[in-house]
Amino acid sequence: MNAPTDKGVERLAALQGMGESRLRKEDARFIQGKGHYVDDIQLPGQLHMDIVRSPLAHARIKSIDKSAALAMPGVHAVLTANDLKPLKLHWMPTLAGDVAAVLADEKVHFQMQEVAIVIADDRYIAADAAEAVIVDYEELPVVIDPYEALKPEAPVLREDLAGKTSGAHGAREHHNHIFTWTAGDADATAQAFATAPVTVSQHMFYPRVHPCPLETCGCVASFDPIRGELTTYITSQAPHVVRTVVSMLSGIPESKVRIISPDIGGGFGNKVGVYPGYVCAIVASIVLGKPVKWVEDRIENISTTAFARDYHMDGELAATPDGKITALRVKVVADHGAFDACADPTKFPAGLFHICTGSYDIAAAHCEVKGVYTNKAPGGVAYRCSFRVTEAVYLIERMIDVLAQKLGLDKAVIREKNFIRKEQFPYTSAFGFEYDSGDYHTAMKQVLDKAGYPALRAEQAARRADPNATHLMGIGLCTFTEVVGAGPSKMCDILGVGMFDSCEIRIHPTGSAIARMGTITQGQGHQTTYAQIIATELGIGSEVIQVEEGDTSTAPYGLGTYGSRSTPVAGAAIALAARKIHAKARKIAAHLLEVGEADLDWEIDRFNVKGDASRFKTMKDIAWAAYNNLPAGMEPGLEAVHYYDPPNFTYPFGIYLCVLDIDRATGETQVRRFIALDDCGTRINPMIIEGQIHGGLTEGFAVAMGQQMPFDAQGNLLGNTLMDYFLPTAVETPKWETDHTVTPSPHHPIGAKGVAESPHVGSIPCFANAVIDAFSHTGVTDLTMPFTSYRVWQQLKAHGLAL
Ligand code: MCN
Ligand code: CUM
C-alpha cells in the first residue's frame, strides 16, 4: 500500500473509520425526543393488558373469580392458566431447558408471579380490573434459602416435576435440585490440594441484584387474523430468537411472525429472556384479533424479570509458601428461583463460570455448580455479566486476596507472580478455555505506576499505625480476564441454534450503503461503530452508511446482543461481508482501469494502478459501475451477506485499582481514585469504549455499594422500588480514570474483542477487595456486598475501630 499522502490523511479523516472517536449518530434523535420505544408504538384499535400477580411467594390457588373484573366497562377479557390450557400455553419452555409457568397453574411459586391477565380499553381500566380479580390462596411454606431448599424435609416447590429424576443437565438428586454441573479435573485438583504446603478456603456470597434498565420490559402484539400474520414490537435483546420461540409455541410459521425491537432504553441482560407477559400479550392479540400492548411498571420489572447472581461460593486455593498457586477448587450453590430461566448457551447451565482461573496460570482446577429452586423470581443471567463471568471473576479475585493475606504477600506482587505470561499465549486453561492473547504484566505495571502504588501502601501503613486517624484506607486490585463472543457454535447454541451472527451490506449506486445486522443495540452505539468498520474496510464515509438492526423481516438471522458478543461475532461478520464486497470491487476496478487485478493497490477509499496513483477508481466510482458497467458475465449489484461463526471466544482483560477511604465515625466510604485499564484488542471507537466503561463502572459501583434484593422469610421482596433500590446518580458516582493497552485478538478479522461488560465484571471485585483490604489488618478476609455505610460501620464497631 502507498504511504498516505497529505490528501490521503484528509481522505482518511473524512471516512470517520475505525479508531476515530466518531460522535454517536444515535444521539441526534435521542436528545431531541425522537427516540422510538415500545411504549411509543400506538396501533389503531390497540388494547392494553395488565397482570394480576400473586401477593404470596408460595401458595395453592383455590379459585379465581373473574366476574367483577369482567363486569367493568371497557374490559375485554380476563384470562387465567385454565384459559391457556387448551392451547397448551400455560407453561412455556425456558432457555435453560426447564419450563416456566406463563400463568400460575394451580400454584404460585414466587411473590408477584403472573396469575391472570386483564385486557381493557386503556391501561387504567386494565389496572383497576386487575385489582377486581379475586384469587383465593392457600398459603404453603416458603423457602428462600437454597441451602434450606436442599434439606430432605424441605417443601416440594416444583410439583410439576414430581418423579423427574433427571433434568436438562443430568441427574436431579433432590426435589428442589435442578442440576449439578462440573468442569475441570477433580482428581488432579484433589491431588494438588493433598500435597500443597499452603491452602486457603473462603465462603463468599454474591447477592441477588437486578440490572434495572431505565425502560422496563414490554411489547405490543398485533395479530392480523385475515393474513394470519403476527407482528410484535418488543423490548428484546435477541429478536430472532424470540421469533423462533414464538413460532414454535404458536405454530404460526416463522415467515409469518415478525419481531421488531425498536429503540431500547437499556437492556443489561434484563431483555434477553422471553417473559410470560410477552406470551400473554401475543395470546390475547390472537384471541381478540386486536393489537395488545403490555408495558411493565417499575415494581413489576424489579420483582419479576431476570435478576442477576445469587451465587453462594466456596473457593479454595492451593499454593507454595511463596505464593505460586497450584490449584483452584470451587463449589457453588446457585439460587435460580422458581424456574430455571437462565439465558445461557444451552450446554452451560452455569454460563462461562469456569473462566474462574482468571488471569492466572493455575495447573489444576475443578468447579461444581449446583442449581437450586427457591420461592423467588427466576432468572440469573443478566446485568453485564458475560454469562456469569462476573461471579467467576469475583471468586478468583477475592480468593487471591485471601491467599495474599494468609501469606503476608503484597496483593500486586502475588498477582504478578501468577499471571499467565505474554509468551504463553495462546494459553489453554485448566478448564479448557484457549485464551487468545494478553499481556497482563505490561498492563499491571502501567496501572501501578499511574497509581503510585508503593506510596499508597506506605500511606495505608501509616494510617494503621496512627490511632487518631479519622479514616481507614483500602486499596483494591482486580486483574481480570473476560471471555466474550459466544460463540463458536460447536460449543454454544440457544435452543439448538448455533451462536453465529450476521451482517448484510448493500452499496447503493451512488456510493452510500445500508448494513443490516442480527444484533440489536440497547445503548451501545452500534449505528455509530458498525459504520466505522465498513468505512475502513470499504472506503465509504461513515456518514453515508446506515446501520439497521432489530427487525426480523429485514435483518439476517442473528443471535442478538448480550455477553459482549456484538463486536467479537457481528463485528467480524461486518468485516468479512465488507471484504466480499471489496473483492468484487477490485474486479470491477480492474475492468474499469483496464488492468489486471494484481496491478491494483488499495488505498483508503480507492484502487490505484500500481506505480501510477493518478490512475484510480474510488469505491464511489465502482459502486456506480456495479449497476451499469461490469466485466462480462459478472452479476450486477454490490452487496454481500456474511454469517460468522467464530473459531474461538475473545479474551479481553483489565487491570483495575481502587483507593478508598472509610470514615471511622460513620462507616461512609469515599472512592479516592479508581483507575481502570482495559484491553479490548483493536479499538473501533475510543469514545464509545470510554462511555461503555464509565457506564459499567458506575453499575459496578452500584452493585458493590448499595444494590440488593433482600427477601424476608415469607418471600416478600423488600425493596422493589427506586426508593430502596440504589441507582447511583452523578452525585454519588466516583470520578473514573481510564487507560488502555492494545493486544489484538489473533483470530478476529479486525483484532477486536468485546468490552462492554468488562468494567462491570472487573469493578465489583475491585471495590470489594478495597473495602476488605481496609480491614485486612484485623484478620477479616471476607465481607458481603453491598458495602453500605451501616454495614461498614458495624465492621468498624466489631473490630474496635469505630470513632
Ligand atoms: N467497541 C469498540 N471497540 C472494541 C469493542 C467494542 O469500539 N474493541 C464498541 C462497539 O462497537 C459497541 C460497544 O463498544 O458499540 C460495545 O461493544 P461490545 O463490547 O461488543 O458489546 P455489545 O455491543 O455486544 O453490547 C452488549 C453489552 C452487554 S451484554 C450489556 S449487559 C450491556 C452493555 O453492552 N448493556 C448495555 N452495555 C450497555 N450499554 C448501554 N448503554 N445499554 C445497555 O443496555
Ligand atoms: Cu449477562 S447481561 Mo448482557 O449479556 O446482556
Side-chain angles (χ1 to χ4, degrees), residues 266-269 384 522-526 529 561-568 680 682-685 688-689 692 752-757:
F268 308 110
R384 255 183 149 126
Q522 310 126 41
Q524 295 90 344
H526 290 176
T529 53
T561 291
Y562 42 83
S564 297
R565 65 188 295 281
S566 303
T567 302
C680 57
T682 306
R683 291 150 57 87
I684 300 159
N685 182 323
I688 295 250
I689 292 174
Q692 284 294 315
K753 305 179 179 184
V755 77
E757 288 172 314

Side-chain angles (χ1 to χ4, degrees), residues 237 268-269 272 381-387 561-563 757:
Q237 295 179 227
F268 308 110
V272 177
V381 171
Y383 209 175
R384 255 183 149 126
C385 68
S386 308
F387 301 121
T561 291
Y562 42 83
E757 288 172 314

Side-chain angles (χ1 to χ4, degrees), residues 588-601:
I588 298 172
H591 161 75
L592 296 176
L593 292 161
E594 298 180 337
V595 295
E597 278 185 64
D599 297 327
L600 294 174
D601 276 334

Side-chain angles (χ1 to χ4, degrees), residues 39-60:
D39 208 15
D40 293 320
I41 311 276
Q42 306 292 349
L43 299 181
Q46 161 187 297
L47 302 175
H48 295 260
M49 179 177 109
D50 204 347
I51 300 181
V52 179
R53 295 177 181 276
S54 170
L56 300 171
H58 196 199
R60 212 168 292 290

